[in-house]
């Protein structure tokens, strides 16, 4: 991509049946049922990644597993392998509709698991409406919500003893039960379409809510609850973060030997029932590791739109990021790794050329421009306030 070109907005996410071409081959996104891989499934995916791709796996911000570097002439063979593992939907439309994220700390038979299962089945079966490609549902019914900072359009959450269905962007919702949650969620999705939330097939719930407010019946207050995932012991097992949300397939295979795996939207994996985890390539096991303070997209050469590599720079700057803050390094103004504002952002504007933005997104007005990776490594104090 030339330095002057605007990044391309696709408006849809890759799936397994509808992969997306990237700089390192096809990106194939696997939407594991209920965000969980059995030990056999995880071993199988690791093997397929090594056989048909470049052996690198990402976890997406919606807790999907992304296989990178898949060769185009191997895609069909890969799909056959994934289907044998029970990881492929009936068709690409059903795959796209089944965009359900569930709080990873669910227990067998609890509201989160039961509603997410029923909602996934209902979205697979429904054929009379088409939602925008990125439209998604969050089922977050543990004692406290943990997904409020994760992108979703329709949320089912708990407030005390009550389940609340809420349109994203609204501060109020409507009470539901375990039985009514799924039909009510589908009705809210239809309301979104009826209200003109998706002109030309694109749109997000929070934009519609900002324009016209929630449905009139949505009057039950839902408090904002912050949550920050850290590596370590959690309900159901142990959480391991992934450096830049990526790991080699061999790491997935090694983790599979320790237990079933749950995918999370926090660039982390939950290993069910695990005590300690061994150090493995790509894993971050310490809650104070400086790499937890940086995010960086794929960058060059893996992304076709990237103007510069990102991750080596982010890794080098991580120990210098002021405590309690966050650095986002983006290969272009699209800001895939952190679509919202970050305390510090370095956006590539050309080969080895970055702009520094404070308290903004990758596309916002920079404070400093024309910074090379070498200059930033030599003078990381540039990241400090007032420098
Ligand atoms: S933000 Fe990064 S991953 Fe996204 S399009 Fe730009 S370079 Fe590619």
């Amino acid at each position: 991509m030339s330095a002057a070109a605007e990044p391309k907005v696709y408006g849809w996410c890759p799936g397994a049946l509808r992969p997306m071409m990237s700089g390192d081959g096809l990106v194939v996104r696997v939407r594991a049922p209920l965000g969980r891989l059995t030990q056999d499934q995880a071993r199988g995916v690791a093997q397929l990644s090594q056989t048909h791709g470049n052996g690198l796996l990402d976890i997406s911000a919606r807790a999907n597993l992304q296989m990178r570097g898949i060769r185009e002439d191997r895609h069909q063979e890969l799909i056959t392998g994934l289907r044998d593992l029970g990881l492929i939907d009936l068709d690409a439309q059903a795959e796209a509709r089944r965009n359900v994220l569930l709080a990873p700390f669910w227990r067998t038979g609890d509201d989160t698991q039961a509603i997410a299962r029923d909602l996934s089945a209902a979205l697979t079966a429904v054929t009379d409406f088409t939602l925008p490609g990125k439209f998604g549902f969050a089922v977050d019914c543990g004692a406290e919500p943990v997904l409020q900072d994760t992108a979703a359009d329709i949320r089912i959450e708990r407030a005390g003893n009550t389940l609340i269905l809420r349109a994203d962007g609204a501060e109020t919702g409507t009470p539901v039960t375990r039985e009514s949650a799924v039909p009510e969620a589908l009705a809210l999705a239809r309301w979104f379409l009826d209200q003109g939330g998706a002109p030309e097939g694109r749109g997000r719930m929070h934009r519609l809510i900002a324009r016209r407010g929630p449905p009139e019946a949505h009057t039950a207050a839902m408090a904002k609850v912050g949550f920050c995932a850290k590596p370590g012991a959690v309900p159901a097992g142990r959480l391991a973060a992934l450096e830049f949300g990526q790991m080699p397939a061999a790491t997935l295979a090694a983790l599979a030997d320790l237990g079933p795996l749950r995918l999370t939207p926090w660039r982390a994996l939950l290993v069910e029932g695990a005590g300690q985890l061994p150090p493995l390539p790509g894993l971050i096991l310490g809650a104070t590791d400086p790499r937890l303070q940086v995010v960086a997209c794929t960058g060059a050469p893996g992304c076709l739109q990237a103007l510069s590599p990102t991750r080596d720079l982010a890794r080098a700057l991580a120990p210098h990021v002021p405590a309690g803050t966050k650095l986002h390094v983006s290969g272009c103004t699209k800001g895939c790794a952190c679509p919202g504002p970050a305390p510090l952002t370095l956006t590539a504007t050309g080969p080895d050329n970055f702009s520094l933005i404070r308290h903004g997104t990758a596309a916002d007005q920079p404070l400093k421009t024309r910074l090379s990776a070498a200059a930033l490594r030599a003078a990381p104090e540039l990241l400090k306030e007032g420098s």
Side-chain angles (χ1 to χ4, degrees):
M1 187 172 96
S2 76
E6 288 294 316
K8 190 170 171 186
V9 177
Y10 291 95
W12 57 278
C13 296
L17 296 169
R18 192 187 180 204
M20 190 181 271
M21 183 51 77
S22 193
D24 55 359
L26 291 176
V27 174
V28 170
R29 193 174 280 181
V30 178
R31 202 162 269 175
L34 299 184
R36 180 178 189 263
L37 294 171
T38 65
Q39 290 172 277
D40 283 346
Q41 284 173 328
R43 285 188 199 104
V45 169
Q47 178 72 53
L48 290 169
S49 162
Q50 286 164 331
T51 306
H52 302 299
N54 64 7
L56 290 176
L57 297 157
D58 297 330
I59 296 192
S60 77
R62 288 200 57 82
N64 295 311
L65 195 64
Q66 208 159 259
M67 307 176 79
R68 296 205 69 98
I70 302 297
R71 286 174 38 188
E72 271 186 284
D73 61 348
R74 296 290 191 87
H75 180 243
Q76 269 320 312
E77 229 179 303
L78 171 68
I79 293 299
T80 302
L82 290 171
R83 187 169 279 124
D84 290 345
L85 293 169
L87 293 172
I88 292 295
D89 287 271
L90 282 178
D91 55 45
Q93 289 74 28
E95 176 183 74
R97 274 197 307 274
R98 191 177 56 81
N99 197 357
V100 179
L101 178 64
L102 71 167
F105 307 134
W106 52 267
R107 293 190 319 275
T108 303
D110 72 1
D111 287 337
T112 296
Q113 194 212 28
I115 292 171
R117 184 194 57 219
D118 293 350
L119 182 58
S120 300
L123 286 168
T124 300
V126 80
T127 52
D128 64 335
F129 65 70
T130 305
L131 292 165
K134 297 198 171 191
F135 195 95
F137 298 76
V139 184
D140 194 9
C141 307
E144 293 262 283
V146 296
L147 298 177
Q148 288 188 341
D149 293 326
T150 301
D153 294 87
I154 292 180
R155 300 175 184 278
I156 303 164
E157 301 167 320
R158 180 181 302 286
N161 292 326
T162 309
L163 296 178
I164 302 280
L165 173 73
R166 184 168 66 91
D168 187 49
E171 291 175 1
T172 55
T174 190
V176 291
T177 63
R178 188 191 275 207
E179 291 70 34
S180 69
V182 172
E184 293 273 355
L186 295 187
L188 185 55
R190 287 197 172 87
W191 173 88
F192 165 81
L193 294 172
D194 292 345
Q195 295 291 319
E200 296 164 24
R202 290 192 185 186
R204 299 302 299 262
M205 181 68 90
H206 66 91
R207 290 195 205 112
L208 175 67
I209 297 300
R211 285 203 302 276
R212 60 92 63 216
E216 285 61 38
H218 284 213
T219 55
M222 184 69 220
K224 174 92 179 123
V225 182
F227 176 78
C228 180
K230 293 272 186 203
V234 291
R238 202 153 189 103
L239 206 59
L242 305 183
E243 191 188 51
F244 307 122
Q246 190 167 81
M247 68 188 147
T251 291
L252 182 70
L255 288 175
D257 287 342
L258 304 174
L261 304 173
R262 297 186 191 180
L263 305 161
T264 83
W266 311 305
R267 299 187 171 90
L269 277 170
L270 192 162
V271 187
E272 285 183 16
Q276 295 299 321
L277 297 176
L280 292 166
L283 292 193
I284 300 175
L285 302 177
T288 57
D289 192 303
R291 291 171 295 170
L292 295 171
Q293 286 182 251
V294 292
V295 290
C297 70
T298 301
C303 174
L304 290 171
Q305 308 203 56
L307 297 166
S308 185
T310 52
R311 290 184 171 168
D312 282 351
L313 178 62
R315 199 178 283 115
L317 294 178
H320 306 285
V321 177
T325 187
K326 187 166 107 177
L327 170 67
H328 170 205
V329 184
S330 186
C332 76
T333 54
K334 203 165 161 187
C336 296
C338 180
L344 290 163
T345 302
L346 288 167
T347 302
T349 54
D352 195 25
N353 206 342
F354 290 86
S355 291
L356 174 65
I357 297 141
R358 282 195 200 283
H359 306 294
T361 69
D364 280 342
Q365 192 63 27
L367 193 73
K368 290 189 168 71
T369 57
R370 297 182 179 281
L371 299 165
S372 70
L376 285 158
R377 284 169 198 254
E381 61 275 10
L382 282 168
L383 300 176
K384 300 224 167 75
E385 201 79 52
S387 59

